[in-house]
Amino acid sequence: MMMLADMPLASVSQNELQTMAYTDPLTGLGNRYRMRDRIAQISAERAADPAPFTIGIANLDSFKPINDLFGSAAGDEILCQVAHRLKACIPDGAVVTRHDGDEFAFVLPLVFERASAEKFGQMIREVLSAPYDLGDRNVRLSASFGFAIYPFAGEEFDELLKSAETALYRSKRRGRSQITVYSREIAQEMKRATQLEQALRNAIISDAIDVHFQTIVSLANNQVLGFEALARWNDPDLGFVSPGVFVPLAEERGFIDALSETLLRKAAEAALSWPREMFLSFNLSSAQLMDPGTSANVLSILGRVGFDPHRLELEITETAVMGSADTANRIIADLRQAGVRISLDDFGTGQSSLGRLRDFMFDKIKIDRAFVSRINSDRASEHIIKAILTMCEGLDLEVVAEGIEDYSEAAKLRMLGCGMGQGYYFGKPADSIATLRFLHENEYDTGERAMA
Ligand code: C2E
Ligand code: CA
Ligand code: CA
């Protein structure tokens, strides 16, 4: 494509100038001005009888690493191939443009409602998922989508585009290859998430996130063997926010490290006062298992607190280890080298192949509450638990049954030979002071440190 600067000025006609101003030089697609123009045109055409139309944005997932890994020429090549595919498959009357970087947009005059927008998104998603040919290699990419329907999502170009961006942002937050059509509810949801994020960041800075502890007992004699640390956040404005909500939020927004560091520090400090033979079990989030710095971080926190790594167990989930197996494996190996033990949390809920249990180095399996709560009512759950117990015995793994809520469940698990249990039946999560009081009242030897 010829650039403006390459041309002798006298030979550039008004028309050509106009075309260039509306064209993305890399791909030859229209640019943002072209999009704005097309939208103004449709609105004008329909002034008498305003019918809806749709705009959409597609953003490539993880495009930056490709640029970094293969060079920007390869990146440009992919963008051109994307442009080519998009141009080939958009319907008559529609326009596809490229905005900055890896972001493309559509104006779809004949898409009037959500279902059609989603269908269009699915079609484009499919088209973009085929491998890209870079000469000596093929790469695959996915894309995330945000759509906005005129006039509900905005009557002016800027407002409409902003709505599509909000929808795209939500898609990105939910992971790869997602499609979102803007609605007022989605705008609300995004706003709430942003408020929650701000509050959470403040809570971490002001040290307002707390840790509670739940007993893990021996099923043979109900003796407490250790505690699982569970994050707690009670915000003055928002009230109680579940870790099931704020932990994933911190992961998405990229500050799980800061959150986890505070939590581990507090948990380890509290655990210093427990009997030496008791372990502290701490949940590691999946994002942390993709970060090569995690093992060093964990060990340095323990070092600063003065907590023996041999007393720490880290609970991780299957999805976390599947995510980026090499990094996860290295982190696990480094931590185990230092004496930390690894538990596989929520076992049975993932798509775990049992073979995986051998590939990764676990010390303990935690059977998910979903099976435990049905153990007395559902034969299948009982059989699954029996199978897990047999397998763990063969692999020399310890087993904890989670979510035990009554005597009959505890008795059944004990009978089946399950070594450890956890759940409301044995104790609900309690703060560090209540935990210490519990240990004193039950005459566990907390040593002198606890008295200090
Ligand atoms: P999880 O690791 O599976 O933790 C067990 C959850 O089950 C806890 O919920 C616990 O309070 C609850 N629970 C324990 N016993 C019973 C029972 O008998 N019945 C019922 N119905 N529930 C029981 P919680 O504290 O709301 O935590 C939810 C999830 O949030 C945790 O699931 C874990 O995935 C995550 N989480 C909590 N604290 C942390 C943390 O410090 N770091 C990270 N990364 N994740 C955390
Ligand atoms: Ca857990
Ligand atoms: Ca669990």
Side-chain angles (χ1 to χ4, degrees):
M1 161 138 322
M2 207 169 201
M3 309 285 283
L4 187 55
D6 303 333
M7 293 176 126
L9 213 58
S11 71
V12 180
S13 73
Q14 199 57 32
N15 245 342
E16 283 166 333
L17 265 178
Q18 169 113 1
T19 310
M20 278 182 241
Y22 278 48
T23 306
D24 164 40
L26 176 68
T27 61
L29 292 180
N31 60 16
R32 190 186 293 265
Y33 300 110
R34 175 82 186 89
M35 184 186 195
R36 191 177 60 185
D37 203 53
R38 182 73 181 110
I39 289 174
Q41 204 185 356
I42 299 176
S43 317
E45 280 166 17
R46 298 188 183 175
D49 179 17
F53 64 87
T54 298
I55 70 161
I57 312 177
N59 189 295
L60 305 181
D61 299 324
S62 316
F63 181 66
K64 192 174 175 299
I66 291 196
N67 246 337
D68 296 347
L69 215 61
F70 304 133
S72 60
D76 286 354
E77 175 58 32
I78 289 178
L79 293 174
C80 288
Q81 290 185 29
V82 168
H84 192 76
R85 290 185 195 183
L86 293 178
K87 220 155 75 183
C89 71
I90 56 163
D92 286 346
V95 167
V96 54
T97 55
R98 174 178 171 247
H99 297 185
D100 353 83
D102 56 351
E103 196 151 295
F104 295 83
F106 316 92
V107 184
L108 307 162
L110 298 180
V111 172
F112 305 130
E113 36 75 52
R114 162 190 299 270
S116 319
E118 282 169 351
K119 213 163 143 208
F120 175 82
Q122 286 155 5
M123 187 267 287
I124 299 288
R125 178 167 68 187
E126 193 67 34
V127 165
L128 294 183
S129 69
Y132 294 83
D133 179 10
L134 288 180
D136 52 343
R137 61 168 72 84
N138 282 339
V139 296
R140 281 180 183 278
L141 279 178
S142 60
S144 303
F145 297 85
F147 290 95
I149 302 172
Y150 170 94
F152 320 109
E155 294 187 19
E156 302 295 326
F157 171 70
D158 288 340
E159 197 187 351
L160 202 55
L161 191 62
K162 195 161 163 264
S163 298
E165 278 163 359
T166 302
L168 173 68
Y169 183 51
R170 178 173 180 269
S171 289
K172 285 277 182 187
R173 280 194 49 204
R174 304 192 129 204
R176 302 162 159 265
S177 301
Q178 298 291 315
I179 298 170
T180 305
V181 181
Y182 178 91
S183 68
R184 206 165 293 148
E185 293 75 41
I186 280 166
Q188 280 289 329
E189 180 193 316
M190 292 295 97
K191 202 170 150 198
R192 267 199 306 272
T194 304
Q195 285 168 342
L196 201 63
E197 178 190 349
Q198 279 314 318
L200 180 58
R201 284 181 187 274
N202 289 336
I204 295 171
I205 292 166
S206 63
D207 211 21
I209 309 279
D210 203 7
V211 193
H212 284 204
F213 301 93
Q214 186 178 32
T215 51
I216 296 175
V217 307
S218 154
L219 285 176
N221 57 15
N222 290 3
Q223 282 283 309
V224 174
L225 303 172
F227 293 86
E228 176 177 0
L230 294 159
R232 291 291 177 265
W233 177 28
N234 213 335
D235 186 81
D237 299 323
L238 301 166
F240 178 83
V241 185
S242 160
V245 171
F246 70 80
V247 170
L249 184 72
E251 285 189 36
E252 273 164 27
R253 306 288 169 112
F255 56 100
I256 185 67
D257 278 359
L259 175 62
S260 196
E261 186 173 330
T262 318
L263 291 168
L264 180 58
R265 178 181 46 81
K266 288 190 172 189
E269 279 168 356
L272 283 179
S273 305
W274 307 343
R276 290 202 147 271
E277 63 280 8
M278 284 187 187
F279 62 82
L280 165 67
S281 205
F282 184 82
N283 292 286
L284 215 53
S285 93
S286 41
Q288 291 177 285
L289 278 175
M290 298 175 193
D291 175 0
T294 294
S295 36
N297 279 344
V298 166
L299 295 174
S300 110
I301 295 166
L302 297 185
R304 266 178 279 151
V305 173
F307 188 77
D308 181 357
H310 291 89
R311 290 181 62 195
L312 182 70
E313 298 193 357
L314 290 173
E315 300 192 5
I316 64 183
T317 59
E318 296 165 60
T319 26
V321 266
M322 304 291 206
S324 63
D326 287 345
T327 311
N329 253 328
R330 199 159 334 116
I331 295 171
I332 293 174
D334 289 349
L335 288 164
R336 287 186 93 220
Q337 178 79 28
V340 177
R341 291 156 50 84
I342 308 291
S343 287
L344 184 58
D345 204 357
D346 304 341
F347 186 69
T349 55
Q351 315 96 27
S352 66
S353 63
L354 298 180
R356 282 264 155 181
L357 283 178
R358 256 205 350 223
D359 300 345
F360 289 98
M361 299 157 288
F362 297 113
D363 301 285
K364 193 184 261 186
I365 300 295
K366 298 187 78 173
I367 305 179
D368 193 73
R369 174 157 60 91
F371 302 109
V372 174
S373 62
R374 291 196 299 255
I375 191 170
N376 282 316
S377 57
D378 171 33
R379 292 293 298 273
S381 292
E382 183 181 337
H383 282 295
I384 290 169
I385 291 183
K386 273 187 189 162
I388 296 175
L389 291 169
T390 310
M391 178 190 69
C392 288
E393 202 182 322
L395 293 171
D396 216 13
L397 292 162
E398 292 187 309
V399 186
V400 181
E402 294 188 307
I404 300 177
E405 293 190 349
D406 60 40
Y407 170 78
S408 67
E409 289 166 358
K412 180 66 152 272
L413 285 156
R414 187 187 312 124
M415 194 194 78
L416 294 176
C418 181
M420 290 177 233
Q422 177 181 3
Y424 295 166
Y425 175 63
F426 299 107
K428 292 199 167 176
D431 65 23
S432 56
I433 295 174
T435 298
L436 210 50
R437 196 182 321 123
F438 163 85
L439 289 171
H440 281 304
E441 283 169 5
N442 291 277
E443 299 182 350
Y444 285 99
D445 177 20
T446 53
E448 289 194 20
R449 300 189 84 134
M451 306 300 174

